Structures are given as C-alpha cells and as structure tokens.
Amino acid sequence: EQARQVQRRGELEEEISRLERECRALDLALEALEAAEQELRSRFAPALSQRAGEILAQLTGGRYDSVRIDRDFDLEVRGSGELVSRNTLWLSGGTADQLYLAVRLALCHLLLPADAPILLDDALVNFDDVRLALALAWLRREAEGRQIILFTCQNREARCLAALEQGEPPA
C-alpha cells in the first residue's frame, strides 16, 4: 500500500510539473500575442485614421476631415478648422453612419487587394439626400477600380446615381 502511494505521489508530482510547464508556455504565448497586438495597434491605427479621415472628408463635403482611432479602437472626429474632437456619442445618427462607413471603406483600402469587391448592405440608409449624393459620388469613383455592390431596399439611391450619371453634381 505504501509503495502504491509513493508511486501515485510521483505520478501526481510529474503531472504538476507538466502542467506548470504548460502554464509557463501559455504565459509566454500570451505575452507574445499582447506584444503583437500593441505593435498592430501602433502601426495600423494611424494609417486607418488617416485614410478614414480622407474618406470622411469626401463623404461629408469637407465638414469633418479628421478621424482619430484610439488604442481601444474608439472613434472621434474633428470638424474642419475645429480644435476639439467629438466622440461618436455626440454625433447625429447620419454623421455617425458616415464615420462608420468611412472606417469600413478605409479598412477595405488597407486590408484588401485593390481589385477586391466591396459589398454594402443599406449602408446609406440614414444619410440625408446631400450626404447620399456625396457618398454615391465617392463610391462611383471607387468603382472605377473595383466592383462595389450596394444592397438597398430604397429607390432613392438609384435616382441619385441616375442624376450623377447625367452629370448632375452632388446636391
């Protein structure tokens, strides 16, 4: 009986040792992932902010021209000539949708091949007519180099695109 207990104790100590090694390996892997995440954030967020700001400026007719994406990927915008940024909580629903669209399109620009199609589903539904025209004009220009598929349950996008096709400027 004592020999069996000694053997069992040895097996348990061996198991503990194995689990401790696994735990150390997992800790090292977690540290490496955290370092990689920080590197990604520090390198990617500025490029994403810049491209999203460029797109947002076009989508808003120049009203907002700066996007800031912080370390937690929270978004803020700044109007042209303004010194103070605004959190998305302080934006109208339409402006917030413009911001989110700009960020999505910037992500596509940075992460996808230049000829990869973009699919949008009712992405412009909260835009007023002026913003809709600006967004469709931007998407139309972007569609010169890639396919853009816009799903919508409304007819106003088609009417606005037809006006753009006839050379009428965005409202």
Side-chain angles (χ1 to χ4, degrees):
E1 177 66 29
Q2 188 175 4
R4 198 175 59 132
Q5 287 178 349
V6 169
Q7 180 183 358
R8 178 71 180 142
R9 182 178 177 155
E11 290 170 354
L12 290 174
E13 287 174 351
E14 213 174 279
E15 180 70 9
I16 289 170
S17 178
R18 184 187 66 78
L19 291 172
E20 286 174 342
R21 285 191 309 273
E22 279 185 24
C23 191
R24 282 192 300 273
L26 289 172
D27 285 341
L28 288 173
L30 183 58
E31 287 175 21
L33 284 173
E34 287 172 351
E37 177 191 28
Q38 290 301 328
E39 178 73 15
L40 176 66
R41 287 180 190 226
S42 67
R43 295 174 79 200
F44 186 68
L48 180 59
S49 292
Q50 180 181 349
R51 185 64 181 136
E54 293 166 358
I55 295 170
L56 185 64
Q58 294 177 39
L59 295 180
T60 62
R63 180 168 182 199
Y64 295 100
D65 62 359
S66 176
V67 173
R68 184 176 147 321
I69 302 171
D70 69 16
R71 301 185 83 175
D72 295 321
F73 287 98
D74 290 327
L75 301 173
E76 292 184 351
V77 298
R78 188 172 54 234
S80 297
E82 293 182 357
L83 299 175
V84 178
S85 294
R86 298 178 191 173
N87 186 286
T88 54
L89 296 173
W90 300 104
L91 301 174
S92 70
T95 302
D97 280 356
Q98 285 178 302
L99 172 60
Y100 297 137
L101 177 61
V103 171
R104 287 193 313 258
L105 294 170
L107 283 167
C108 291
H109 174 79
L110 294 171
L111 298 176
L112 297 177
D115 60 349
I118 296 175
L119 301 170
L120 301 170
D121 186 11
D122 261 340
L124 313 177
V125 71
N126 290 324
F127 289 15
D128 60 29
D129 290 344
V130 172
R131 291 175 181 173
L132 173 67
L134 290 167
L136 288 173
W138 190 92
L139 291 170
R140 187 171 171 240
R141 285 190 304 274
E142 183 70 9
E144 293 171 4
R146 73 169 72 220
Q147 183 180 25
I148 297 186
I149 300 170
L150 175 63
F151 294 102
T152 182
C153 61
Q154 301 181 24
N155 293 323
R156 67 187 193 120
E157 285 88 347
R159 287 193 301 269
C160 186
L161 276 174
L164 287 171
E165 292 291 328
Q166 294 175 2
E168 296 178 24

